[in-house]
Amino acid sequence: MKVSQRGLVEMNLDAQYKYVIIGNSAAGIGCVEGIRKVDKEGSIAVISEEKMHTYSRCLTSYYIAGVVDDEKILFRPKDYYAKKNVTPILGKKVVKILPEDNHIVLDDGTRIGYSSLMIATGASPVIYDIPGNNKPGVFVLRTYEDARRISEAAAPGKRAVVMGGGLVGLKAADALHAKGVEVWVIVTSPQIMSQTMDRDGAEILRKQLEENGIKVMTETNVEEIIGNKKVEAVRLSTGQTLTCDIVIFAKGVRPNIGLAKDAGIDTDYGILVDTHMRTSVPNIYAAGDVAEAKDFITGERYIHAIWPNAVEQGCIAGQNMAGRDVEYAGGIAMNSVDLFGLASIAVGFTRPRGKDHGYEIISRSIPEKKFYRKIVLKDGVIVGAICIGEVEAAGVFAGLIKRRANVSKIKELLLREDFDYAKVLGEGLIKDTSYFATA
């Protein structure tokens, strides 16, 4: 869709770009690079509420721990926008999308026109409605600013309560521990990592945390954050009170769909997109943590809120915005975390409800080596895998999932500690090795 100079004046716009991208993280940058694969010259504006140059959100816990600094956390070099001929509009919030007029409105009233629009607004942490949730000392961990504030508050001798035992909560706990903070992880579920890990795997990780000084309490809730002018303690559902200086909410996120919903774009839990990452409005696309896109295994729409999926979705959307015809094959879940030197990766569908749905589960545990592996199969094809301890094979399992390779005749090999790509080749399961060559 093209807007003429005359049309720009008639709509009283302050600026006009061929491509406007709302969001400056994985999906937004993926979109820039997708567009530039096809269109080297078209004007691009990237708009973000954050003032920070694009950075790697998945490194924020490492920033708290002091492992990365302001330079190493950057996702792309500081001259990135100039080299890509992109106009960054940072520190500004988009408050309205007007699809019928092809323009957006910023919080300072600026009106910006577009030919194609990308919504990559991501997700926001959930802060539960409990007494004291707005006291100084209460944090979430999502952005660079969140990480910077937590880092400033964390110091040896302080005490922290992390609410939530998922990936963000455990990485936050690990980072605080590295800063000399005494840490409790409070989990509502019977286990940590309840969304991605089975009970056996979760128990290995829990022991790893506890052996290294992080206390974990499951089937417990924080019911109140106590303190006069700042956080001083939390009251638990068990009746206990824990003295602490820092509380971190890490109990999940919600997609930021408000802009899309108000604009009349179809949404459910996230923004609904087709395999071209196109929304219900033909020249508006969405990608990343806000987009409900095709799941590779089930074919249904799902949000896999992980960095590589967001980059890939953004890149595909960008190419389509620029006129190429590219389809998204679908995403698969993949979560990894390293806790005190013990690595774990969960990929694909790892928690089926049982044999009633035709799933076959094989597993092996070697407790003295902290080795655990679980493979979920359906009709001889891997649909999910958990690797703890020896995680090098996880990439091979991901490749086999993507190739839908039938592994029936090598099932016993999958659980070996030394299982690798060579054994896949040796059995002749894969003829086309391109995925493995680039994975």
Side-chain angles (χ1 to χ4, degrees):
M1 188 173 295
K2 190 174 182 180
V3 178
S4 67
Q5 182 65 27
R6 183 182 174 189
L8 187 157
V9 171
E10 287 174 346
M11 286 193 287
N12 195 28
L13 297 175
D14 298 291
Q16 172 75 38
Y17 296 90
K18 188 173 183 180
Y19 310 100
V20 169
I21 300 169
I22 308 173
N24 189 30
S25 194
I29 296 303
C31 185
V32 168
E33 291 168 9
I35 291 169
R36 286 292 180 247
K37 282 176 182 280
V38 184
D39 182 350
K40 305 295 184 189
E41 304 296 333
S43 58
I44 302 176
V46 171
I47 304 170
S48 173
E49 195 174 346
E50 295 182 68
K51 294 180 181 177
M52 178 78 169
H53 185 88
T54 184
Y55 63 93
S56 295
R57 206 178 293 285
C58 44
L59 294 181
T60 50
S61 63
Y62 297 97
Y63 182 87
I64 295 170
V67 177
V68 302
D69 57 17
D70 285 341
E71 293 294 324
K72 290 181 179 175
I73 201 171
L74 297 184
F75 183 39
R76 292 291 185 265
K78 286 189 173 177
D79 60 355
Y80 177 78
Y81 303 120
K83 282 193 169 179
K84 291 293 183 184
N85 190 22
V86 169
T87 301
I89 303 174
L90 306 181
K92 298 291 183 183
K93 183 178 182 180
V94 178
V95 295
K96 190 174 289 185
I97 299 170
L98 297 166
E100 63 277 14
D101 294 331
N102 291 321
H103 76 266
I104 59 170
V105 182
L106 305 185
D107 53 0
D108 62 1
T110 301
R111 296 155 67 90
I112 298 175
Y114 61 81
S115 297
S116 295
L117 176 69
M118 155 64 87
I119 304 174
T121 45
S124 295
V126 176
I127 298 179
Y128 286 87
D129 185 19
I130 58 173
N133 65 1
N134 60 351
K135 292 185 185 297
V138 175
F139 301 95
V140 295
L141 178 54
R142 178 73 181 175
T143 66
Y144 166 80
E145 277 302 312
D146 295 333
R148 189 186 60 75
R149 286 192 286 264
I150 294 170
S151 181
E152 287 179 357
K158 291 204 171 185
R159 300 174 135 205
V161 167
V162 177
M163 298 167 58
L167 202 60
V168 172
L170 297 188
K171 292 177 79 170
D174 192 21
L176 289 167
H177 183 272
K179 297 271 283 190
V181 176
E182 190 176 359
V183 183
W184 283 263
V185 177
I186 309 299
V187 186
T188 302
S189 306
Q191 64 169 79
I192 62 172
M193 298 191 74
S194 59
Q195 300 300 310
T196 56
M197 191 67 65
D198 65 359
R199 292 291 292 268
D200 292 337
E203 192 57 27
I204 294 170
L205 298 181
R206 175 177 178 155
K207 286 180 180 175
Q208 182 73 0
L209 289 169
E210 293 179 334
E211 286 173 6
N212 286 279
I214 293 178
K215 304 168 188 70
V216 179
M217 301 175 74
T218 53
E219 298 185 87
T220 305
N221 286 312
V222 173
E223 296 192 333
E224 182 181 4
I225 300 170
I226 301 167
N228 290 319
K229 294 183 179 179
K230 61 182 180 60
V231 171
E232 295 175 7
V234 296
R235 181 173 57 80
L236 305 179
S237 55
T238 59
Q240 294 172 271
T241 298
L242 293 178
T243 302
C244 61
D245 312 284
I246 297 168
V247 172
I248 295 181
F249 277 85
K251 293 175 72 68
V253 297
R254 288 199 184 101
N256 296 320
I257 63 172
L259 275 176
K261 202 170 181 178
D262 291 345
I265 296 168
D266 289 350
T267 61
D268 188 13
Y269 186 66
I271 299 173
L272 301 177
V273 295
D274 63 16
T275 54
H276 289 78
M277 308 309 298
R278 186 184 291 116
T279 71
S280 57
V281 177
N283 65 332
I284 300 181
Y285 296 71
D289 295 4
V290 75
E292 267 193 72
K294 180 183 176 184
D295 176 85
F296 181 82
I297 294 172
T298 67
E300 298 175 359
R301 286 183 176 131
Y302 195 80
I303 298 178
H304 290 301
I306 59 173
W307 192 268
N309 280 348
V311 173
E312 182 185 6
Q313 290 177 2
C315 186
I316 288 171
Q319 292 176 73
N320 288 321
M321 289 164 73
R324 192 171 280 175
D325 183 3
V326 185
E327 286 202 58
Y328 181 56
I332 58 174
M334 182 177 282
N335 289 283
S336 64
V337 64
D338 187 308
L339 298 171
F340 302 101
L342 181 62
S344 68
I345 297 179
V347 55
F349 187 44
T350 58
R351 300 194 63 185
R353 293 189 180 277
K355 294 180 180 177
D356 292 344
H357 299 279
Y359 294 102
E360 178 185 4
I361 297 171
I362 57 175
S363 64
R364 185 185 182 199
S365 178
I366 309 175
E368 65 274 19
K369 292 185 176 180
K370 295 182 179 177
F371 172 88
Y372 178 67
R373 185 169 297 165
K374 170 182 170 180
I375 309 293
V376 182
L377 305 113
K378 189 165 189 179
D379 301 325
V381 174
I382 298 175
V383 297
I386 293 174
C387 300
I388 298 177
E390 295 288 341
V391 299
E392 289 76 9
V396 181
F397 294 137
L400 291 170
I401 292 172
K402 285 280 189 181
R403 290 295 181 197
R404 302 188 198 279
N406 192 308
V407 297
S408 298
K409 66 179 183 179
I410 63 161
K411 275 197 300 187
E412 69 281 5
L413 297 180
L414 302 176
L415 299 177
R416 281 175 45 169
E417 293 172 80
D418 62 349
F419 177 75
D420 58 15
Y421 174 49
K423 293 178 176 56
V424 175
L425 283 182
E427 295 297 330
L429 293 179
I430 302 294
K431 304 300 181 187
D432 176 5
T433 62
S434 58
Y435 175 85
F436 297 93
T438 58

